[in-house]
Coordinates of all heavy atoms in Angstrom, one line a residue:
N1 N -36.5 20.7 34.6 CA -36.6 21.7 35.6 C -35.3 22.3 36.0 O -35.2 22.9 37.1 CB -37.5 21.2 36.8 CG -36.8 20.1 37.6 OD1 -35.6 19.8 37.3 ND2 -37.4 19.6 38.5
N2 N -34.3 22.1 35.3 CA -32.9 22.6 35.5 C -32.3 22.1 36.8 O -31.3 22.7 37.3 CB -32.9 24.1 35.5 CG -33.2 24.6 34.1 OD1 -32.9 24.0 33.1 ND2 -33.8 25.8 34.1
S3 N -32.7 21.0 37.3 CA -32.1 20.3 38.5 C -31.2 19.2 38.0 O -31.5 18.6 37.1 CB -33.2 19.7 39.4 OG -34.0 20.7 39.9
P4 N -30.0 19.0 38.7 CA -29.1 17.9 38.3 C -29.8 16.6 38.4 O -30.6 16.4 39.3 CB -28.0 18.0 39.3 CG -28.1 19.3 40.0 CD -29.5 19.7 39.9
V5 N -29.5 15.7 37.5 CA -30.1 14.4 37.4 C -29.0 13.4 37.6 O -28.0 13.4 36.8 CB -30.9 14.1 36.1 CG1 -31.4 12.7 36.1 CG2 -32.0 15.1 36.0
D6 N -29.1 12.5 38.6 CA -28.1 11.5 38.8 C -28.5 10.2 38.0 O -29.7 9.9 38.1 CB -28.0 11.2 40.3 CG -26.9 10.2 40.7 OD1 -26.1 9.9 39.8 OD2 -27.0 9.7 41.8
G7 N -27.6 9.6 37.3 CA -27.9 8.4 36.6 C -28.5 8.5 35.2 O -29.0 7.5 34.7
A8 N -28.5 9.7 34.7 CA -29.0 9.8 33.3 C -27.9 9.3 32.3 O -26.7 9.4 32.5 CB -29.3 11.3 33.0
S9 N -28.4 8.7 31.2 CA -27.5 8.2 30.2 C -27.2 9.3 29.2 O -28.1 10.1 28.8 CB -28.1 7.1 29.5 OG -27.3 6.6 28.4
V10 N -25.9 9.5 28.9 CA -25.5 10.6 28.0 C -24.7 10.0 26.9 O -23.7 9.3 27.2 CB -24.7 11.7 28.7 CG1 -24.3 12.8 27.7 CG2 -25.4 12.3 29.9
V11 N -25.1 10.2 25.6 CA -24.3 9.7 24.5 C -23.7 10.9 23.8 O -24.3 11.8 23.4 CB -25.2 9.0 23.5 CG1 -24.4 8.5 22.3 CG2 -25.9 7.8 24.1
F12 N -22.3 10.9 23.9 CA -21.5 11.9 23.2 C -21.2 11.4 21.8 O -20.8 10.3 21.6 CB -20.2 12.2 23.9 CG -20.3 12.7 25.3 CD1 -20.4 11.9 26.4 CD2 -20.4 14.1 25.5 CE1 -20.5 12.4 27.7 CE2 -20.5 14.6 26.8 CZ -20.6 13.8 27.9
T13 N -21.3 12.3 20.8 CA -20.9 12.0 19.4 C -20.0 13.0 18.9 O -20.3 14.2 18.9 CB -22.2 11.9 18.5 OG1 -23.1 10.9 19.1 CG2 -21.8 11.4 17.1
M14 N -18.9 12.6 18.4 CA -17.9 13.5 17.8 C -17.8 13.1 16.3 O -17.7 12.0 15.9 CB -16.5 13.4 18.4 CG -15.5 14.3 17.8 SD -13.9 14.2 18.7 CE -13.4 12.5 18.5
V15 N -17.8 14.2 15.4 CA -17.7 14.0 14.0 C -16.3 14.6 13.7 O -16.1 15.8 13.9 CB -18.8 14.6 13.2 CG1 -18.5 14.4 11.7 CG2 -20.1 14.0 13.6
K16 N -15.4 13.8 13.1 CA -14.1 14.3 12.8 C -14.2 15.0 11.4 O -15.1 14.9 10.7 CB -13.1 13.1 12.7 CG -12.9 12.3 14.0 CD -12.0 11.2 13.8 CE -11.9 10.4 15.1 NZ -10.9 9.3 15.0
S17 N -13.1 15.7 11.1 CA -13.1 16.5 9.9 C -13.2 15.7 8.6 O -13.7 16.2 7.6 CB -11.8 17.3 9.8 OG -10.7 16.5 9.8
D18 N -12.9 14.4 8.7 CA -13.1 13.5 7.5 C -14.4 12.8 7.5 O -14.7 12.0 6.7 CB -12.0 12.5 7.5 CG -11.9 11.5 8.7 OD1 -12.8 11.7 9.6 OD2 -11.0 10.7 8.8
G19 N -15.3 13.2 8.4 CA -16.7 12.7 8.5 C -16.8 11.4 9.3 O -18.0 11.0 9.6
K20 N -15.7 10.8 9.8 CA -15.8 9.6 10.6 C -16.3 10.1 12.0 O -16.0 11.2 12.4 CB -14.5 8.9 10.7 CG -14.1 8.3 9.4 CD -12.8 7.5 9.5 CE -12.4 6.9 8.1 NZ -11.1 6.3 8.2
T21 N -17.0 9.2 12.7 CA -17.6 9.5 14.0 C -16.9 8.6 15.1 O -16.5 7.5 14.8 CB -19.1 9.3 14.0 OG1 -19.4 8.0 13.8 CG2 -19.8 10.2 13.0
A22 N -17.0 9.2 16.3 CA -16.6 8.4 17.5 C -17.7 8.8 18.5 O -18.2 9.9 18.5 CB -15.2 8.9 18.0
S23 N -18.0 7.8 19.3 CA -19.1 8.1 20.3 C -18.7 7.4 21.6 O -17.9 6.4 21.7 CB -20.4 7.6 19.8 OG -20.5 6.2 19.6
Y24 N -19.4 7.8 22.7 CA -19.1 7.3 24.0 C -20.4 7.5 24.8 O -21.0 8.6 24.8 CB -17.9 8.0 24.7 CG -17.6 7.6 26.1 CD1 -17.0 6.4 26.3 CD2 -18.0 8.4 27.2 CE1 -16.7 6.0 27.6 CE2 -17.7 8.0 28.4 CZ -17.0 6.8 28.6 OH -16.7 6.4 29.9
T25 N -20.7 6.5 25.6 CA -21.9 6.6 26.5 C -21.4 6.7 28.0 O -20.6 5.9 28.4 CB -22.8 5.4 26.4 OG1 -23.3 5.4 25.0 CG2 -24.0 5.6 27.3
A26 N -21.9 7.7 28.7 CA -21.5 8.0 30.1 C -22.8 8.1 30.9 O -23.9 8.2 30.3 CB -20.7 9.2 30.2
T27 N -22.6 8.1 32.2 CA -23.8 8.2 33.1 C -23.5 9.4 34.0 O -22.4 9.6 34.5 CB -23.9 7.0 34.0 OG1 -24.1 5.9 33.1 CG2 -25.1 7.1 34.9
T28 N -24.5 10.3 34.2 CA -24.3 11.5 35.0 C -24.1 11.1 36.5 O -24.6 10.1 37.0 CB -25.5 12.4 34.9 OG1 -26.7 11.7 35.3 CG2 -25.6 13.0 33.5
D29 N -23.3 11.9 37.2 CA -23.1 11.7 38.6 C -24.2 12.5 39.4 O -25.1 13.1 38.8 CB -21.7 12.0 39.1 CG -21.3 13.5 38.8 OD1 -22.2 14.3 38.6 OD2 -20.1 13.8 38.8
A30 N -24.0 12.6 40.7 CA -25.0 13.3 41.6 C -25.1 14.8 41.2 O -26.2 15.4 41.5 CB -24.7 13.1 43.0
S31 N -24.1 15.4 40.6 CA -24.1 16.8 40.3 C -24.7 17.0 38.8 O -24.7 18.1 38.4 CB -22.7 17.4 40.4 OG -21.9 16.9 39.4
G32 N -25.0 15.9 38.2 CA -25.6 16.0 36.8 C -24.5 16.0 35.8 O -24.8 16.4 34.6
T33 N -23.3 15.7 36.1 CA -22.2 15.8 35.2 C -21.8 14.5 34.6 O -21.7 13.5 35.3 CB -20.9 16.4 35.9 OG1 -21.3 17.7 36.5 CG2 -19.7 16.5 35.0
A34 N -21.6 14.5 33.3 CA -21.1 13.3 32.6 C -19.9 13.8 31.8 O -19.9 14.9 31.2 CB -22.1 12.8 31.6
L35 N -18.8 13.0 31.8 CA -17.6 13.3 31.1 C -17.2 12.3 30.1 O -17.4 11.1 30.2 CB -16.4 13.4 32.1 CG -16.6 14.5 33.2 CD1 -15.4 14.4 34.2 CD2 -16.6 15.9 32.6
W36 N -16.5 12.8 29.0 CA -15.9 12.0 28.0 C -14.5 12.6 27.7 O -14.4 13.7 27.3 CB -16.7 11.9 26.7 CG -16.1 11.1 25.6 CD1 -15.2 10.1 25.7 CD2 -16.3 11.3 24.2 NE1 -14.9 9.6 24.5 CE2 -15.6 10.3 23.5 CE3 -17.1 12.1 23.5 CZ2 -15.6 10.1 22.2 CZ3 -17.2 11.9 22.1 CH2 -16.4 11.0 21.4
N37 N -13.5 11.8 28.0 CA -12.1 12.2 27.7 C -11.7 11.5 26.5 O -11.6 10.2 26.5 CB -11.2 11.9 28.9 CG -11.5 12.7 30.1 OD1 -11.6 13.9 30.0 ND2 -11.6 12.0 31.2
Y38 N -11.4 12.2 25.4 CA -11.0 11.6 24.2 C -9.6 12.1 23.8 O -9.3 13.3 23.9 CB -11.9 12.0 23.0 CG -11.6 11.3 21.7 CD1 -12.1 10.1 21.4 CD2 -10.8 12.0 20.8 CE1 -11.7 9.4 20.2 CE2 -10.4 11.3 19.6 CZ -10.9 10.1 19.3 OH -10.6 9.5 18.1
R39 N -8.7 11.2 23.6 CA -7.3 11.6 23.2 C -7.1 11.4 21.7 O -7.4 10.3 21.2 CB -6.3 10.7 23.9 CG -4.9 11.0 23.6 CD -3.9 10.3 24.5 NE -4.2 10.7 25.9 CZ -3.2 10.8 26.8 NH1 -2.0 10.5 26.5 NH2 -3.5 11.2 28.0
L40 N -6.8 12.5 21.0 CA -6.5 12.4 19.6 C -5.3 11.6 19.4 O -4.3 11.6 20.1 CB -6.3 13.8 19.0 CG -7.5 14.7 19.0 CD1 -7.1 16.1 18.7 CD2 -8.5 14.2 18.0
H41 N -5.3 10.8 18.3 CA -4.2 10.0 17.9 C -3.4 10.7 16.7 O -4.0 11.5 16.0 CB -4.7 8.6 17.4 CG -5.5 7.9 18.5 ND1 -4.9 7.3 19.6 CD2 -6.8 7.8 18.7 CE1 -5.8 6.8 20.4 NE2 -7.0 7.1 19.8
P42 N -2.2 10.3 16.6 CA -1.4 10.9 15.5 C -2.0 10.8 14.1 O -1.8 11.7 13.3 CB 0.0 10.2 15.6 CG 0.1 9.7 17.0 CD -1.4 9.4 17.4
K43 N -2.8 9.8 13.9 CA -3.4 9.6 12.6 C -4.7 10.3 12.4 O -5.3 10.3 11.3 CB -3.5 8.1 12.3 CG -2.2 7.4 12.1 CD -2.4 5.9 11.7 CE -1.0 5.3 11.5 NZ -1.1 3.9 11.1
D44 N -5.2 10.9 13.5 CA -6.5 11.6 13.3 C -6.3 12.8 12.4 O -5.2 13.5 12.5 CB -7.0 12.1 14.7 CG -7.7 11.0 15.5 OD1 -8.3 10.1 14.8 OD2 -7.6 11.0 16.7
P45 N -7.2 13.1 11.5 CA -7.0 14.2 10.6 C -7.1 15.6 11.2 O -7.8 15.8 12.3 CB -8.2 14.0 9.6 CG -9.3 13.4 10.4 CD -8.5 12.5 11.4
S46 N -6.4 16.6 10.6 CA -6.6 17.9 11.1 C -7.9 18.5 10.5 O -8.5 17.9 9.6 CB -5.4 18.8 10.6 OG -5.3 18.7 9.2
G47 N -8.3 19.6 11.0 CA -9.5 20.3 10.5 C -10.5 20.5 11.7 O -10.2 20.4 12.8
T48 N -11.8 20.8 11.3 CA -12.8 21.1 12.3 C -13.5 19.8 12.7 O -14.0 19.0 11.9 CB -13.8 22.1 11.7 OG1 -13.1 23.3 11.3 CG2 -14.9 22.5 12.7
Y49 N -13.7 19.7 14.0 CA -14.4 18.6 14.6 C -15.6 19.2 15.3 O -15.6 20.3 15.8 CB -13.6 17.9 15.7 CG -12.4 17.0 15.2 CD1 -11.5 17.5 14.3 CD2 -12.3 15.7 15.7 CE1 -10.5 16.7 13.8 CE2 -11.2 14.9 15.3 CZ -10.3 15.4 14.3 OH -9.3 14.6 13.9
T50 N -16.7 18.4 15.4 CA -17.9 18.8 16.1 C -18.2 17.7 17.2 O -18.0 16.5 17.0 CB -19.1 19.0 15.2 OG1 -19.4 17.8 14.5 CG2 -18.8 20.1 14.2
V51 N -18.8 18.2 18.3 CA -19.2 17.3 19.4 C -20.6 17.7 19.8 O -20.9 18.9 20.0 CB -18.3 17.3 20.6 CG1 -18.7 16.4 21.7 CG2 -16.9 17.0 20.1
S52 N -21.5 16.7 20.0 CA -22.8 16.9 20.6 C -23.1 15.9 21.7 O -22.4 14.8 21.7 CB -23.9 17.0 19.6 OG -24.0 15.7 18.9
A53 N -24.1 16.1 22.5 CA -24.4 15.1 23.5 C -25.9 15.0 23.6 O -26.6 16.0 23.4 CB -23.9 15.5 24.8
E54 N -26.4 13.8 23.8 CA -27.9 13.6 24.1 C -28.0 12.8 25.4 O -27.5 11.7 25.5 CB -28.5 12.9 23.0 CG -30.0 12.7 23.2 CD -30.8 12.1 22.1 OE1 -31.1 12.9 21.2 OE2 -31.1 10.9 22.1
A55 N -28.7 13.5 26.3 CA -28.9 12.8 27.6 C -30.4 12.3 27.7 O -31.3 12.9 27.1 CB -28.8 13.9 28.8
T56 N -30.6 11.2 28.3 CA -31.9 10.6 28.5 C -32.1 10.2 29.9 O -31.3 9.5 30.5 CB -32.1 9.3 27.6 OG1 -31.8 9.7 26.2 CG2 -33.5 8.8 27.6
S57 N -33.2 10.7 30.5 CA -33.6 10.3 31.8 C -35.1 10.0 31.9 O -35.9 10.8 31.4 CB -33.3 11.5 32.8 OG -33.7 11.2 34.1
N58 N -35.4 8.9 32.4 CA -36.8 8.4 32.4 C -37.5 8.5 31.0 O -38.7 8.9 30.9 CB -37.6 9.3 33.4 CG -37.2 9.1 34.8 OD1 -36.8 7.9 35.2 ND2 -37.1 10.1 35.6
G59 N -36.7 8.2 30.0 CA -37.3 8.1 28.6 C -37.4 9.5 28.0 O -37.9 9.6 26.9
V60 N -37.0 10.6 28.7 CA -37.1 11.9 28.1 C -35.7 12.3 27.6 O -34.8 12.5 28.4 CB -37.6 12.9 29.1 CG1 -37.7 14.3 28.6 CG2 -39.0 12.4 29.7
P61 N -35.5 12.6 26.3 CA -34.2 13.0 25.8 C -34.0 14.5 25.9 O -35.0 15.3 25.8 CB -34.3 12.6 24.3 CG -35.7 12.7 24.0 CD -36.5 12.3 25.3
A62 N -32.8 14.9 25.9 CA -32.4 16.3 25.9 C -31.1 16.4 25.1 O -30.2 15.7 25.3 CB -32.2 16.9 27.3
T63 N -31.1 17.3 24.0 CA -29.9 17.3 23.2 C -29.2 18.6 23.4 O -29.8 19.7 23.6 CB -30.4 17.3 21.7 OG1 -31.1 16.1 21.5 CG2 -29.2 17.3 20.8
S64 N -27.8 18.5 23.4 CA -27.0 19.7 23.6 C -26.9 20.5 22.3 O -27.3 20.1 21.2 CB -25.6 19.3 24.0 OG -24.9 18.7 22.9
N65 N -26.3 21.7 22.5 CA -25.8 22.4 21.3 C -24.6 21.7 20.7 O -24.0 20.9 21.4 CB -25.4 23.8 21.7 CG -26.6 24.7 22.1 OD1 -27.7 24.5 21.6 ND2 -26.3 25.6 23.0
I66 N -24.3 22.0 19.5 CA -23.1 21.4 18.8 C -21.9 22.3 19.1 O -22.0 23.5 18.9 CB -23.3 21.2 17.3 CG1 -24.4 20.2 17.1 CG2 -22.0 20.8 16.6 CD1 -24.8 20.0 15.7
V67 N -20.8 21.8 19.5 CA -19.6 22.5 19.8 C -18.6 22.1 18.8 O -18.4 20.9 18.4 CB -19.1 22.2 21.2 CG1 -17.7 22.9 21.5 CG2 -20.1 22.6 22.3
S68 N -17.8 23.0 18.2 CA -16.8 22.7 17.3 C -15.4 23.2 17.8 O -15.3 24.1 18.6 CB -17.1 23.3 15.9 OG -17.1 24.7 16.0
F69 N -14.4 22.5 17.3 CA -13.0 22.9 17.6 C -12.1 22.5 16.4 O -12.5 21.6 15.6 CB -12.5 22.3 18.9 CG -12.5 20.8 19.0 CD1 -11.3 20.1 18.6 CD2 -13.6 20.1 19.3 CE1 -11.3 18.7 18.7 CE2 -13.6 18.7 19.4 CZ -12.5 18.0 19.0
D70 N -11.0 23.2 16.3 CA -10.1 22.9 15.2 C -8.9 22.1 15.7 O -8.3 22.4 16.8 CB -9.6 24.2 14.6 CG -10.7 24.9 13.8 OD1 -11.6 24.2 13.2 OD2 -10.8 26.1 13.8
V71 N -8.5 21.1 14.9 CA -7.3 20.3 15.2 C -6.3 20.7 14.1 O -6.6 20.7 12.9 CB -7.6 18.8 15.1 CG1 -6.3 18.0 15.3 CG2 -8.6 18.5 16.2
Q72 N -5.1 21.0 14.6 CA -4.0 21.4 13.6 C -3.0 20.4 13.5 O -2.7 19.6 14.3 CB -3.4 22.7 14.0 CG -4.4 23.9 14.1 CD -3.7 25.2 14.4 OE1 -2.5 25.3 14.6 NE2 -4.6 26.2 14.6

């Protein structure tokens, strides 16, 4: 219903340009916001990365769009 949900579980998944994945599980706050801060390491490959998120509240999942960004 487009209202913020406090306490929803959100699983972020990032696919690196070499196909390896990294993931993180966060919980939404009262404003419905969940954050994942990922710091790239010097050995991470350059190229296009993609990130998506899936939130679950009361057993009901919601999947985000996929976002991509380039690492040089």
Side-chain angles (χ1 to χ4, degrees):
N1 67 4
N2 293 331
S3 297
V5 175
D6 186 14
S9 175
V10 180
V11 178
F12 295 94
T13 303
M14 179 175 62
V15 180
K16 299 179 182 184
S17 61
D18 61 3
K20 294 183 180 176
T21 62
S23 63
Y24 178 76
T25 302
T27 302
T28 58
D29 61 16
S31 69
T33 302
L35 297 175
W36 178 24
N37 294 309
Y38 183 87
R39 182 173 294 216
L40 291 169
H41 301 284
K43 292 184 180 182
D44 282 329
S46 60
T48 301
Y49 286 50
T50 61
V51 179
S52 63
E54 181 173 281
T56 304
S57 177
N58 295 322
V60 179
T63 303
S64 73
N65 292 328
I66 296 173
V67 176
S68 64
F69 62 93
D70 292 323
V71 174
Q72 299 182 4

